[in-house]
Amino acid sequence: MSVLAVLDPAVAVAHAVVAAVAHLVPTALAIVLFTVAVRLALHPLARAAARGERARARLAPKVAALQRKHRDRPERLREALAEMYRKEQVSPFAGCLPVLVQIPFFSVMYRLFTTPNDLLDHTLFGVPLGLHVTGAQGAGQWAVFGVLFAGLAAVGVVNFRRARRTAAAAATAATAQPAPQPGAGLLPYLSFGSVLFAALVPVAAVLYLLTAGVWSAAERAWLYRDGTPVPAAAMMG
């Protein structure tokens, strides 16, 4: 039994909602609308994460100064950082917790669109929503998969460029982190992870990934329009 089986009660509710909407519009469109509705409901968490990141960015020079001052005294550094965060009334985890809270919602949607159910018997331009790319046959089905994967790749390019700009800005400033994080150079390439993941899931899940990816890219562009660096966790969302 899958570890995600604990989410089945929530998945059943999500299934009922999508099925109800599917009585009014095509099932593929119902999936898109449901995904947008869920992301809209989670938008306050994204705004909280953005506020947290702005606070961390504002305090980054002070953090760097303390790191230089107490670089040979780890215990004193921890105390100084705790005192600074207390005075500034900012959590050192600001921006992270709202992202983590969203994970159960995404897990429910993932299980809904990857577990066999009657929704997957419907089609998107003739392609069954339960079909994987490895089972595509004929030019029509390959064309649908091609459009979906091209959309995911386009979102990946947008996220990749934003991640590269963020990394370049951090390297230029060199204040928040005196030493580069291991593997930091690989983080921008994770923007294309959804393209690879899409090869393992059916059309319904690919449609969800594309809708969520477009929403996330637009949401980040709006929330971080002031130039605040986008956190790595958000870039994967």
Side-chain angles (χ1 to χ4, degrees), residues 31-46:
I31 291 175
V32 172
L33 295 176
F34 177 72
T35 303
V36 169
V38 170
R39 296 308 299 266
L40 185 61
L42 294 176
H43 181 67
L45 293 178

Side-chain angles (χ1 to χ4, degrees), residues 22-206:
H23 285 299
L24 305 174
V25 298
T27 304
L29 180 57
I31 291 175
V32 172
L33 295 176
F34 177 72
T35 303
V36 169
V38 170
R39 296 308 299 266
L40 185 61
L42 294 176
H43 181 67
L45 293 178
R47 292 179 65 86
R51 287 195 298 270
E53 285 303 318
R54 289 190 182 93
R56 292 174 62 182
R58 175 173 57 84
L59 295 177
K62 294 182 179 180
V63 172
L66 290 174
Q67 288 174 335
R68 290 192 295 269
K69 181 179 180 180
H70 303 294
R71 59 178 177 271
D72 297 325
R73 295 178 293 174
E75 185 63 30
R76 183 69 187 93
L77 174 60
R78 285 192 291 270
E79 293 175 356
L81 288 174
E83 178 66 14
M84 182 197 67
Y85 285 126
R86 184 186 65 79
K87 288 183 177 179
E88 297 288 343
Q89 297 184 333
V90 174
S91 168
F93 304 106
C96 299
L97 293 180
V99 174
L100 295 178
V101 171
Q102 298 179 48
I103 292 178
F105 293 91
F106 299 153
S107 299
V108 168
M109 298 176 75
Y110 165 78
R111 185 160 177 81
L112 173 63
F113 299 138
T114 57
T115 302
N117 59 72
D118 59 308
L119 295 175
L120 304 186
D121 294 334
H122 296 265
T123 63
L124 171 65
F125 297 115
V127 179
L129 294 177
L131 185 70
H132 289 67
V133 65
T134 53
Q137 297 180 352
Q141 291 189 351
W142 280 111
V144 171
F145 275 106
V147 170
L148 292 175
F149 276 75
L152 287 172
V155 172
V157 169
V158 171
N159 290 335
F160 176 81
R161 291 178 175 175
R162 182 179 290 117
R164 289 289 294 270
R165 289 196 299 269
T166 299
T172 300
T175 55
Q177 301 205 11
Q181 293 181 337
L186 297 178
L187 287 178
Y189 294 93
L190 295 180
S191 302
F192 297 102
S194 60
V195 181
L196 300 177
F197 185 66
L200 307 176
V201 295
V203 171
V206 177

